[in-house]
Amino acid sequence: MKAWPKVDLGALFHVEKGKVGIMAATPGSFPLVTTGEAFGTHIEPHFSGDAVCIPLISATGHGHASLKRLHHITGDFAVGSILCACVNREPERVMGRFVYYYLSACKDSVLIPLMQGTANMSMKVGDIAGVGLPLPHLDEQRVIVARLDALIEKTREVEAHLDAVERDVEHLLALRFRDVIADAPLRPMADVAPLVRREQTIDLDGIFPELGIRSFGKGTFHKPPISGSEVGTKRLYRIEPGDLLFSNVFAWEGAIAIAQPTDAGRFGSHRFITCRAVPGLVTAEFLRYYFLTDDGMLKIGEASPGGAGRNRTLGLEKLMAIQVPMPPLAAQQTFDRLQADVAALKAKHAAIRQANAALLPATLERLFAGSA
């Protein structure tokens, strides 16, 4: 970074706290800046111009100072009362978007130290006004902003392309599945993937790593281990790789997964329904895909009576009675290979997304290194 001169933010921007409670805002035609990624709306604007909006309250609370995001906005707008608006009053000297990029890059060293308090850490408007900003010539700011805006646009294009590819392959996979199960006979789950319970004896001195299931078909995750004394009266059941798992309270929203090799040695409570596909008849991968289709989710929903959330419980007998399509095993295995190919593609995309997401922060870090 060049040795740019520094100027206090308050010498360039009018800094003022937002004027409307986010939850109390009345939807209207003007953007309302919130702490979230997307703006809300309000019936009237409170500010106008080229502005940077900064949250005043820690994003995490509980005595921990953090900021997730800042916003840049132009025109007429409103701002939530837990943020401050820094409105540019020296447009011939500074660009709001340049300052937005700088503060986003250096928030941990420039803004976070301003937070005070115990449970709810926050910043004062006056302290924000005293933040020193590096101030290159306006022409240089324009070049920097154009470069960073172009980088953001490129990363968005990459994300959009990956999303489009994944939508296409998911659509093709669904069409293939439709063909595979066409005219296939139906059999109850009790015949093809019966319930398996491996109750674990609880040693009070033992350690039991638990497993969780993400909703919407997002797979399993590892919970922190608990001690035998923490288990109390709860029953634990051993889970083995290849098990078809259902969360009995969230199966209705797609908490259905297959235990992976990395899940070996973990346990689930009575809230987990563990089924084992009958070898030579059906594959767990095929059943999982079926249950996450519209038809499968409809049947899971019908087997999970009640209201919302934890009041909708998947019954064991109802699950075992669900009729599932049973095409020939060879057809299932061919489809499973397609599923594996799609999963491999998504894994590659995930790596690309991760690298793509790191481009802007890395560029900002290089650009503003040593400027805080």
Side-chain angles (χ1 to χ4, degrees):
M1 187 202 76
K2 297 179 181 179
W4 294 322
K6 280 201 169 184
V7 180
D8 283 354
L9 188 149
L12 302 169
F13 292 80
H14 175 70
V15 185
E16 187 175 349
K17 186 178 178 182
K19 298 180 182 295
V20 60
I22 293 173
M23 299 303 295
T26 303
S29 57
F30 295 96
L32 169 67
V33 182
T34 71
T35 55
E37 185 174 357
F39 291 166
T41 63
H42 192 50
I43 57 172
E44 61 178 339
H46 299 138
F47 302 94
S48 181
D50 172 29
V52 180
C53 297
I54 304 170
L56 296 171
I57 307 295
S58 172
T60 52
H62 306 293
H64 181 259
S66 68
L67 288 176
K68 283 188 177 180
R69 64 180 64 84
L70 283 67
H71 288 292
H72 173 247
I73 189 170
T74 60
D76 298 329
F77 58 94
V79 178
S81 58
I82 57 173
L83 301 92
C84 75
C86 306
V87 182
N88 190 354
R89 55 190 178 90
E90 296 284 348
E92 71 283 356
R93 298 177 61 194
V94 66
M95 297 178 66
R97 193 150 184 83
F98 173 82
V99 174
Y100 158 77
Y101 280 129
Y102 167 71
L103 293 177
S104 295
C106 301
K107 63 180 184 294
D108 290 345
S109 57
V110 172
L111 296 175
I112 293 297
L114 302 180
M115 288 191 165
Q116 300 176 356
T118 53
N120 296 311
M121 302 191 74
S122 61
M123 291 183 287
K124 297 178 181 178
V125 169
D127 291 339
I128 292 174
V131 168
L133 302 175
L135 195 66
H137 189 275
L138 190 62
D139 288 340
E140 188 171 359
Q141 293 180 46
R142 292 191 182 104
V143 171
I144 291 170
V145 167
R147 174 188 172 194
L148 295 174
D149 283 350
L151 179 59
I152 287 179
E153 183 58 30
K154 287 295 183 184
T155 60
R156 287 174 178 167
E157 289 175 0
V158 170
E159 286 289 331
H161 173 71
L162 297 179
D163 288 344
V165 171
E166 291 182 9
R167 284 195 300 269
D168 287 344
V169 297
E170 287 287 1
H171 179 64
L172 292 173
L173 196 62
L175 292 178
R176 180 57 183 150
F177 185 77
R178 182 196 63 187
D179 294 340
V180 170
I181 65 172
D183 301 321
L186 299 177
R187 295 187 62 175
M189 275 285 287
D191 289 351
V192 302
L195 182 69
V196 175
R197 288 301 217 191
R198 311 180 190 95
E199 187 167 357
Q200 177 69 24
T201 300
I202 303 301
D203 178 356
L204 293 180
D205 296 323
I207 297 295
F208 302 93
E210 289 192 286
L211 191 68
I213 308 174
R214 302 185 192 280
S215 294
F216 312 111
K218 300 296 185 180
T220 59
F221 66 95
H222 292 178
K223 296 181 178 180
I226 59 175
S227 66
S229 59
E230 291 175 305
V231 173
T233 59
K234 183 171 70 172
R235 291 182 175 180
L236 291 182
Y237 299 89
R238 191 175 74 256
I239 294 170
E240 294 184 356
D243 286 348
L244 179 61
L245 306 173
F246 301 81
S247 164
N248 75 337
V249 290
F250 290 115
W252 60 272
E253 65 174 16
I256 302 169
I258 297 174
Q260 301 300 307
T262 54
D263 299 330
R266 293 194 168 262
F267 301 87
S269 71
H270 68 285
R271 297 290 188 186
F272 281 60
I273 300 175
T274 306
C275 300
R276 197 74 184 182
V278 175
L281 181 61
V282 68
T283 71
E285 291 82 4
F286 189 83
L287 287 175
R288 173 191 171 277
Y289 187 92
Y290 171 70
F291 278 116
L292 292 172
T293 64
D294 290 343
D295 184 56
M297 288 304 301
L298 178 62
K299 292 182 178 180
I300 289 291
E302 291 172 345
S304 306
R310 294 187 180 276
N311 292 323
R312 295 195 62 182
T313 302
L314 177 61
L316 298 181
E317 293 183 1
K318 290 180 180 293
L319 173 62
M320 290 295 98
I322 291 177
Q323 299 278 332
V324 295
M326 279 292 105
L329 181 64
Q332 297 179 43
Q333 292 170 334
T334 298
F335 181 78
D336 288 346
R337 287 192 288 272
L338 290 177
Q339 288 197 76
D341 290 342
V342 171
L345 176 67
K346 288 185 175 181
K348 291 180 180 179
H349 282 189
I352 295 171
R353 291 180 196 276
Q354 184 176 12
N356 195 46
L359 277 176
L360 181 63
T363 303
L364 289 172
E365 183 177 358
R366 288 194 301 269
L367 180 62
F368 294 113
S371 63

